[in-house]
């Protein structure tokens, strides 16, 4: 910024404008004496007026009193003289008084409105002069009854009274000696003061005339004294403007709209200098239509801004516009109290003239260093300057980039930018500004800002915004991608919601189906339990009676075949009862109705008993049955259930072990549990079949390949019973080599919540 400021200060566009305050300060040195005189004149005039008026008023008052006294004295004298004269001419009859009065009146006695009245003792008027005045018959009627004059006569002197007709008058009465007659003299005050009034009017007229003359003299002084001051200021301003080339002095009377220009101002515009003030309308004609100087001045006056600093354009005598920079001061203390704009106008073009090559070069350097493309056109649409960035952006050859090239030629030589977008910005103070983005030939983007200069030219600055544009584009693309992703996400969310709804529907259906299946299973188990119970009763009878027949308890059967049949009936019945018992047990377990009768038992003991049961079958087929491990394994369990488990497992081992095979029963305690492993060397079970076992009614061999008897419930019941105790049952087998079935039983039957024991107990409670 510092660099920029200093460059501006010394550069081509810099205009050294003298501060008007300095000029004023110089002028003010000459002003005090004339200013005091100017201010004294009206004060002296007013003092003179007041004194003269007071003197005149006093003089007129005194004159009035003197005039009145004189009139009274004269009236008294005339009355006395008339009375004495009338004594000499006392007539014999009353009719002769008129004549006697005429003869007795001194000279001028009836002038100035004086009237003489002669009255008898009753007041009846006998004579009057002038004859036409006071036509009443009686003196008292004229003078009024209240006055002392007719009674006191000469002693009353001259009195000022109001007559009966309202007239203000001076009156005196005299007794005519040696008669009973009286002579009265009446003079209206208006008549007595007539002369005085004429004098007073003349005096007042003279005073007014003198005042007017003085006022005129003072006005002339008022006007002439500031003219002298202005003359001094104008002389100084003239000298200054002569000393500063390219400057002109303005004195603008804002109240009257008159503008005084110094001769240099006229010269700079190539106009004929004039000493007369220029009316504003003439100035307005020379102003550029876009530069509203009057509005600016009005604003300064309105907002009370005293400093004026404006640039505007004036028409040169040759027709072109020139830029003028006017700096000045709005004052009321210059000349008279009217507002003045006193200022110095500097012609900007004067400084840009080719006379300052250094400044031009500096400006060119500054323009060259900026990173933007810069171009300046003058008001004739000719190139003033452009930088290399501008040339580069527009592919402009060097010979076209010279100052003075016309706009059309430059544009024709430049590569035309592809204008994509224009952002119009409203002009400020009537100066057009526009901003737009354009793409040039090589694909780069420019942000161009164009602005009209004050002298009617054009300046344009272009900034390379390619990177910004590219990132904008990338941003737009990624925004597009984001939008697509959001759409996809929305779609998949909708699908997920649909799937969720389907799953909910399926879960509901599954729940329903499960309930239905459980109901069906429960119904099946109950049915099996009932039917087994129903079957067992007649079967017991079949078994019992066949045994009785077999043993021929009631005598021989006769034919040996009956004996054989009875044995078969017994064996089949026993087997059937076994199967039914298995079905019944399984049904009970599935229905959750199998209860455990838990007591402390010795597992080894139970195994020993179970081995005794299968021992005969094993011996018949030369199978070695051995027990290994601890002698005593005490746990809390259901004896009958344990025996059923071990009998099932041992009988399976015997059943599926080849002749002369081995069956080993291992008993041990592992981590507080009793472990019983029954290992045979039988036919074994395929891996795929092991998973199927332990499910009710599942047999590895099918109906047709089956070589052994069995319901397929043995393992399932054994496992269910082990689990009822809280234990577990595992089968390990290898086809052709043998099978090991391992039971793990806790030392105390544990009824875990989800174990069959717990289920069985809760079912029992129900
Ligand atoms: P079953 O009463 O039919 O024997 P089980 O549940 O006890 O029913 O046995 C089911 C099937 O498991 C048998 O039919 C047999 O195929 C197989 N199996 C059980 N124990 C053994 C074993 N120790 N060796 C070989 N196969 C066996």
């Amino acid at each position: 910024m510092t660099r920029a400021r200093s460059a501006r200060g010394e550069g081509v566009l810099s205009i050294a404008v003298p501060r008007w305050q300095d000029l004023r300060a110089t002028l003010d040195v000459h002003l005090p004496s004339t200013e005091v005189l100017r201010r004294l004149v009206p004060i002296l005039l007013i003092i003179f007026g007041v004194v003269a008026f007071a003197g005149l008023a006093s003089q007129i008052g005194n004159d009035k009193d003197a005039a009145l006294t004189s009139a009274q004295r004269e009236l008294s004298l005339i009355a006395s003289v008339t009375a004495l004269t009338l004594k000499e001419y006392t007539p014999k009859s009353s009719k002769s008084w008129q004549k006697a009065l005429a003869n007795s009146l001194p000279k001028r006695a009836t002038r100035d409105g004086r009237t003489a009245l002669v009255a008898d003792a009753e007041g009846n008027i006998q004579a009057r002069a002038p004859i036409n005045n006071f036509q009443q018959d009686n003196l008292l009627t004229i003078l009024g009854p209240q006055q002392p004059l007719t009674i006191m006569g000469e002693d009353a002197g001259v009195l000022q009274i109001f007559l009966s007709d309202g007239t203000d008058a001076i009156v005196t009465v005299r007794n005519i000696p040696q008669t009973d007659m009286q002579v009265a003299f009446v003079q209206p005050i208006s008549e007595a003061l007539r002369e005085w009034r004429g004098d007073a009017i003349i005096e007042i007229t003279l005073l007014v005339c003198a005042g007017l003359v003085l006022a005129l003299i003072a006005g002339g002084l008022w006007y002439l004294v500031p003219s002298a001051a202005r003359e001094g200021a104008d002389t100084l301003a003239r000298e200054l403007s002569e000393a500063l080339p390219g400057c002109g002095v303005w004195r603008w009377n804002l109240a009257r709209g008159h503008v005084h220009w110094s001769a240099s101002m006229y010269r700079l515009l190539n106009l004929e200098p004039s000493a007369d003030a220029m009316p504003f309308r003439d100035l307005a004609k020379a102003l550029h239509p876009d530069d509203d100087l009057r509005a600016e001045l009005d604003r300064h006056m309105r907002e009370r801004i005293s400093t004026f600093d404006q640039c505007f354009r004036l028409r040169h005598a040759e027709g072109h516009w020139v830029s003028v920079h006017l700096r000045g001061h709005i004052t009321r203390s210059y000349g008279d109290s009217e507002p003045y704009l006193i200022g110095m106008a500097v012609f900007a073009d004067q400084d840009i003239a080719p006379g300052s090559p250094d400044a031009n070069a500096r400006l060119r350097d500054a323009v060259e260093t900026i990173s933007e493309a810069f171009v300046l056109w003058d008001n004739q649409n000719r190139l003033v300057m452009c930088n290399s960035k501008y040339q580069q952006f527009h592919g402009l050859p060097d010979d076209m980039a010279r100052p003075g090239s016309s706009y059309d030629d430059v544009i024709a030589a430049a590569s035309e930018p592809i204008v994509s977008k224009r952002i119009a910005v409203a002009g400020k103070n009537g100066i057009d500004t526009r901003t737009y983005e354009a793409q040039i030939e090589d694909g780069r983007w420019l942000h161009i800002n164009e602005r009209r200069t004050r002298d009617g030219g054009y300046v344009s600055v272009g900034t390379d915004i390619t990177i910004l544009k590219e990132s904008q584009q990338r941003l737009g693309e990624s925004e597009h991608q984001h939008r697509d992703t959001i759409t996809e996400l929305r779609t998949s969310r909708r699908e997920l919601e649909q799937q969720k709804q389907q799953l909910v529907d399926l879960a509901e259906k599954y729940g329903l189906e499960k309930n239905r299946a459980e109901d069906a299973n429960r119904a099946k188990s109950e049915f099996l339990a009932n039917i087994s119970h129903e079957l067992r009763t007649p079967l017991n009878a079949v078994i019992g009676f066949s045994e009785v027949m077999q043993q021929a308890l009631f005598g021989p059967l006769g034919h040996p075949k009956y004996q054989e049949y009875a044995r078969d009936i017994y064996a089949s019945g026993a087997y059937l009862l076994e199967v039914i018992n298995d079905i019944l047990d399984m049904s009970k377990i599935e229905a959750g109705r199998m209860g455990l009768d838990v007591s402390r038992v010795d597992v080894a003991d139970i195994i020993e008993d179970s081995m005794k049961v299968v021992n005969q079958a094993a011996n018949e087929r030369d199978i070695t049955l051995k027990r290994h491990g601890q002698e005593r394994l005490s746990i809390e369990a259901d004896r009958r259930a344990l025996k059923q488990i071990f009998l099932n497992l041992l009988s399976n081992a015997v059943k599926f072990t080849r002749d002369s095979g081995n069956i080993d029963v291992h008993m041990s305690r592992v981590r507080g549990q009793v472990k019983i492993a029954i290992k045979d060397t039988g036919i074994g079970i395929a891996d795929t079949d092991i998973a199927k076992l332990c499910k009710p009614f599942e047999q590895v061999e099918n109906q047709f390949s089956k070589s052994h008897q069995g319901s397929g419930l043995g393992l399932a019941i054994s496992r269910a019973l082990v689990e009822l105790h809280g234990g577990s049952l595992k089968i390990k087998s290898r086809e052709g080599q043998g099978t090991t079935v391992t039971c793990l039983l806790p030392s105390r039957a544990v009824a875990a919540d989800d174990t069959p024991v717990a289920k069985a107990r809760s079912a029992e409670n129900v």
Side-chain angles (χ1 to χ4, degrees):
M1 275 308 285
T2 317
R3 258 186 76 83
R5 199 175 295 126
S6 75
R8 214 165 35 245
E10 297 162 19
V12 172
L13 288 172
S14 151
I15 298 154
V17 181
R19 290 175 63 242
W20 176 249
Q21 286 84 338
D22 302 341
L23 185 61
R24 281 282 308 158
T26 317
L27 292 174
D28 283 348
V29 174
H30 302 271
L31 289 178
S33 58
T34 52
E35 198 56 42
V36 168
L37 193 61
R38 271 167 55 80
R39 282 170 196 167
L40 266 178
V41 167
I43 296 166
L44 287 172
L45 197 64
I46 290 164
I47 292 170
F48 167 78
V50 170
V51 169
F53 182 77
L56 186 65
S58 160
Q59 177 66 37
I60 289 172
N62 291 340
D63 288 355
K64 185 184 176 186
D65 291 345
L68 206 56
T69 310
S70 165
Q72 284 173 341
R73 205 176 293 136
E74 198 172 355
L75 197 69
S76 174
L77 196 64
I78 290 170
S80 299
V81 170
T82 306
L84 286 173
T85 315
L86 274 173
K87 188 193 94 180
E88 300 297 320
Y89 288 100
T90 305
K92 300 291 181 242
S93 73
S94 63
K95 287 184 182 171
S96 305
W97 277 103
Q98 187 63 42
K99 196 177 170 187
L101 179 63
N103 292 331
S104 304
L105 284 172
K107 250 184 172 179
R108 297 170 53 189
T110 55
R111 286 186 64 181
D112 298 331
R114 285 186 285 265
T115 302
L117 297 166
V118 177
D120 60 15
E122 279 77 37
N124 295 320
I125 292 173
Q126 300 298 329
R128 55 174 67 83
I131 197 79
N132 294 325
N133 288 2
F134 300 110
Q135 292 304 307
Q136 293 93 329
D137 292 336
N138 199 294
L139 186 60
L140 294 175
T141 315
I142 295 167
L143 302 181
Q146 303 296 330
Q147 40 74 35
L149 287 162
T150 49
I151 299 163
M152 294 176 70
E154 193 173 353
D155 294 339
V158 179
L159 291 181
Q160 185 174 349
I161 59 166
F162 284 102
L163 302 180
S164 55
D165 63 357
T167 309
D168 187 12
I170 48 173
V171 181
T172 188
V173 176
R174 296 284 184 275
N175 295 324
I176 302 171
Q178 297 165 5
T179 65
D180 54 356
M181 300 294 281
Q182 287 183 318
V183 60
F185 273 84
V186 179
Q187 186 179 21
I189 294 289
S190 57
E191 291 297 326
L193 296 176
R194 184 194 295 271
E195 199 176 332
W196 164 80
R197 199 179 298 118
D199 290 348
I201 287 168
I202 289 167
E203 282 171 12
I204 290 168
T205 308
L206 282 173
L207 182 70
V208 169
C209 288
L212 282 173
V213 169
L214 277 174
L216 278 172
I217 292 168
L221 262 174
W222 178 267
Y223 180 76
L224 286 172
V225 169
S227 288
R230 274 203 296 266
E231 187 63 33
D234 285 351
T235 308
L236 190 59
R238 196 161 47 246
E239 287 168 7
L240 275 171
S241 64
E242 297 304 326
L244 295 166
C247 296
V249 177
W250 285 49
R251 179 160 46 79
W252 190 342
N253 184 325
L254 302 178
R256 295 168 201 222
H258 291 160
V259 187
H260 271 100
W261 278 356
S262 65
S264 56
M265 188 73 204
Y266 285 100
R267 259 200 315 280
L268 288 165
L269 290 172
N270 211 11
L271 296 170
E272 190 62 39
S274 167
D276 296 337
M278 183 198 312
F280 179 74
R281 62 175 178 279
D282 289 354
L283 175 64
K285 281 181 202 161
L287 266 173
H288 192 279
D290 289 346
D291 298 339
D292 197 346
L293 202 55
R294 181 80 235 184
E296 269 306 312
L297 270 173
D298 288 347
R299 187 177 69 79
H300 277 68
M301 296 291 285
R302 207 170 44 248
E303 296 173 11
R304 296 181 180 280
I305 305 167
S306 59
T307 305
F308 190 83
D309 190 342
Q310 283 293 311
C311 288
F312 50 91
R313 286 158 286 178
L314 286 175
R315 189 186 291 282
H316 194 270
E318 288 165 11
H320 64 268
W321 295 105
V322 285
S323 272
V324 177
H325 187 169
L326 177 61
R327 287 184 73 179
H329 193 74
I330 297 171
T331 176
R332 283 177 185 273
S333 58
Y334 174 74
D336 43 47
S337 60
E338 288 172 344
Y340 272 87
L341 166 65
I342 312 286
M344 181 73 84
V346 179
F347 279 60
D349 292 347
Q350 294 297 311
D351 278 349
I352 302 172
S356 48
D358 285 355
N360 257 334
R362 211 170 291 162
L363 179 65
R364 196 166 288 283
D365 276 357
V367 168
E368 195 59 46
T369 51
I370 62 170
S371 56
E372 281 82 13
F374 177 90
V375 63
L376 175 66
W377 306 94
D378 67 7
N379 52 16
Q380 307 284 311
N381 260 351
R382 288 172 312 209
L383 184 68
V384 177
M385 67 170 67
C386 69
N387 62 5
S388 54
K389 259 281 190 301
Y390 178 82
Q391 270 184 268
Q392 190 191 336
F393 280 153
H394 294 84
L396 198 66
D398 284 348
D399 58 327
M400 289 312 298
R402 287 211 190 95
S405 304
S406 85
Y407 178 81
D408 293 336
D409 293 346
V410 171
I411 292 302
S415 49
E416 184 69 20
I418 308 157
V419 177
S420 74
K421 183 174 157 194
R422 280 178 195 271
I423 313 160
V425 179
K428 195 183 162 195
N429 295 333
I431 299 163
D432 293 337
T433 302
R434 61 176 187 159
T435 304
Y436 58 93
E437 288 175 1
Q439 193 173 24
I440 53 176
E441 229 174 23
D442 61 358
R444 272 184 295 177
W445 280 91
L446 295 181
H447 179 90
I448 297 171
N449 189 289
E450 290 178 350
R451 189 175 184 279
R452 195 163 278 287
T453 57
R454 285 202 180 93
D455 67 347
Y458 223 67
V459 66
S460 169
V461 178
T463 312
D464 189 350
I465 54 161
T466 312
I467 296 170
L468 192 77
K469 233 24 192 164
E470 281 171 2
S471 63
Q472 250 178 22
Q473 199 178 344
R474 276 200 296 274
L475 208 67
E477 281 168 7
S478 76
E479 198 184 311
H480 194 69
Q481 281 173 358
H482 279 141
R483 222 172 280 147
D484 287 352
T485 315
I486 288 168
T487 313
E488 279 173 19
L489 280 171
R490 275 202 192 118
T491 313
S492 44
R493 198 175 76 178
R494 221 175 5 254
E495 283 173 5
L496 276 172
E497 273 169 5
Q498 282 171 356
Q499 285 173 359
K500 192 176 120 191
Q501 190 55 43
Q502 284 171 354
L503 279 172
V504 168
D505 292 348
L506 280 172
E508 276 175 10
K509 276 185 196 162
Y510 169 76
L512 283 172
E513 290 302 321
K514 192 178 155 218
N515 288 343
R516 203 176 295 148
E518 280 174 1
D519 288 348
N521 198 35
R522 205 173 298 117
K524 178 200 78 183
S525 301
E526 279 174 9
F527 169 75
L528 285 174
N530 289 338
I531 203 79
S532 304
H533 185 71
E534 292 301 318
L535 285 172
R536 217 160 37 166
T537 313
L539 198 58
N540 280 333
V542 169
I543 292 167
F545 292 139
S546 64
E547 193 175 12
V548 169
M549 286 167 75
Q550 192 190 334
Q551 290 175 5
L553 288 178
F554 299 107
L557 293 177
H559 201 282
K561 276 281 180 195
Y562 290 139
Q563 187 78 31
E564 191 187 329
Y565 289 161
R567 201 168 44 250
D568 286 348
I569 290 168
Y570 177 79
S572 300
Y575 173 68
L576 198 57
L577 185 63
E578 207 175 295
V579 170
I580 288 169
N581 279 339
D582 282 354
I583 290 170
L584 198 62
D585 285 347
M586 197 65 239
S587 305
K588 266 189 180 173
I589 289 166
E590 285 202 326
R593 289 210 308 245
M594 174 63 87
L596 293 181
D597 184 12
V598 178
S599 60
R600 185 144 289 280
V601 295
D602 186 5
V603 177
D605 216 17
I606 297 167
I607 285 182
E608 188 64 39
D609 286 354
S610 306
M611 284 172 71
K612 279 178 189 164
V613 174
V614 297
N615 212 10
Q616 192 188 348
N619 286 338
E620 281 174 6
R621 294 173 47 215
D622 198 19
I623 294 169
T624 312
L625 190 58
K626 273 189 187 165
R627 188 167 64 91
H628 310 272
Q630 288 176 269
E631 283 301 313
R632 304 197 69 78
L633 284 169
S634 174
I635 60 167
E636 281 189 3
D638 185 331
R639 171 179 285 278
R640 199 190 65 81
L642 290 189
K643 190 161 183 184
Q644 193 176 352
I645 294 164
F646 297 136
L647 266 177
N648 272 337
L649 299 179
L650 284 168
S651 61
N652 273 349
V654 171
K655 208 180 333 179
F656 297 106
T657 300
R658 293 187 194 90
D659 295 351
S660 309
N662 291 314
I663 297 172
D664 295 293
V665 181
H666 296 270
M667 298 181 296
S668 58
R669 264 194 196 276
V670 180
R671 288 189 292 275
Q673 289 185 313
V674 170
K675 181 179 171 187
I676 297 107
I678 300 167
K679 185 180 174 192
D680 64 50
T681 54
I683 57 172
I685 311 164
D687 285 346
T688 48
D689 294 333
I690 288 177
K692 289 201 277 179
L693 298 175
C694 298
K695 287 181 186 165
F697 312 108
E698 285 282 349
Q699 287 179 326
V700 177
E701 296 170 302
N702 62 34
Q703 203 65 27
F704 305 102
S705 64
K706 192 164 142 174
S707 54
H708 299 92
Q709 267 189 341
S711 61
L713 288 171
L715 278 178
I717 291 170
S718 300
R719 181 185 198 128
L721 289 173
V722 168
E723 286 179 351
L724 263 180
H725 281 82
S728 63
L729 187 140
K730 281 181 188 156
I731 300 170
K732 262 189 177 176
S733 184
R734 189 165 286 181
E735 234 177 338
Q737 291 190 10
T739 305
T740 303
V741 182
T742 308
C743 282
L744 273 171
L745 288 166
S747 9
R748 189 188 179 121
V750 180
D753 285 346
D754 54 347
T755 59
V757 180
K759 285 182 191 164
R761 283 191 183 153
S762 66
E764 272 177 348
N765 291 339
V766 171

